[in-house]
Amino acid sequence: MDNRQAIGSWLSGPRAAAEEMGADFGYRGERLGLPEEGPGSVAPLGRRFGALFIDWSLCMLIAYGLITGGDWSASGNWALGVLFVLGVLTVGTVGATPGKRLLGLRVIAEDGRRLGFGRVVVRTALLCLAVPALVWDRDGRGLHDRLARAVQVRTH
């Protein structure tokens, strides 16, 4: 193995290195019984981050305009509370936040049904902590989704 191969496997991550050695992980969502592509498949990471960016921007605007009276320095703290309320209300009722809805995503339970209220609260609280959302399993689900037994899927 030359240095380029070693650097390539290091940059690609442990999954790519294991796949090069012959491990078969299947596609993301296969273990959950989800399709590989199209509606109902596991949502791609870029869309999920895009949805979170849209939701956070909306929460910052709400906090800035309605709660802090135009004080940007205090808006960030209030925006986290607004994000929690927004997540619980929207995911708990329609299965998607405004950002997810715009980008064609939905949050469902592992069995394909709607997520129950208690699991929505747990998922949203963990998402607000940020760290659980940055730890993924091999299906691409964040720890907050895994603990709430939820999965983010494409709607179209």
Side-chain angles (χ1 to χ4, degrees):
M1 175 187 308
D2 67 12
N3 284 341
R4 288 175 296 183
Q5 287 176 321
I7 290 173
S9 67
W10 178 76
L11 290 175
S12 302
R15 180 182 175 119
E19 286 174 344
E20 285 178 15
M21 294 181 348
D24 180 24
F25 292 109
Y27 62 87
R28 295 184 192 274
E30 183 175 21
R31 294 181 314 149
L32 301 170
L34 300 174
E36 187 171 1
E37 293 182 14
S41 64
V42 173
L45 187 62
R47 274 197 204 176
R48 293 186 345 224
F49 275 129
L52 184 60
F53 177 77
I54 291 169
D55 292 334
W56 181 254
S57 299
L58 178 64
C59 291
M60 283 293 289
L61 286 173
I62 291 170
Y64 176 77
L66 298 178
I67 299 173
T68 65
D71 181 11
W72 273 114
S73 61
S75 295
N77 294 331
W78 284 103
L80 193 59
V82 173
L83 182 67
F84 179 80
V85 171
L86 177 80
V88 169
L89 291 178
T90 58
V91 173
T93 56
V94 295
T97 62
K100 288 184 191 333
R101 188 85 164 194
L102 282 172
L103 297 181
L105 304 178
R106 183 175 167 88
V107 179
I108 60 171
E110 289 175 339
D111 61 7
R113 291 189 258 163
R114 269 189 36 200
L115 213 53
F117 180 74
R119 291 179 12 192
V120 169
V121 170
V122 167
R123 180 189 180 278
T124 307
L126 290 171
L127 178 64
C128 288
L129 292 176
V131 173
L134 298 174
V135 178
W136 302 305
D137 66 5
R138 77 178 207 193
D139 289 316
R141 294 187 306 161
L143 187 59
H144 65 298
D145 280 331
R146 189 170 171 99
L147 292 175
R149 296 187 320 268
V151 61
Q152 295 182 57
V153 295
R154 297 176 188 187
T155 59
H156 57 274

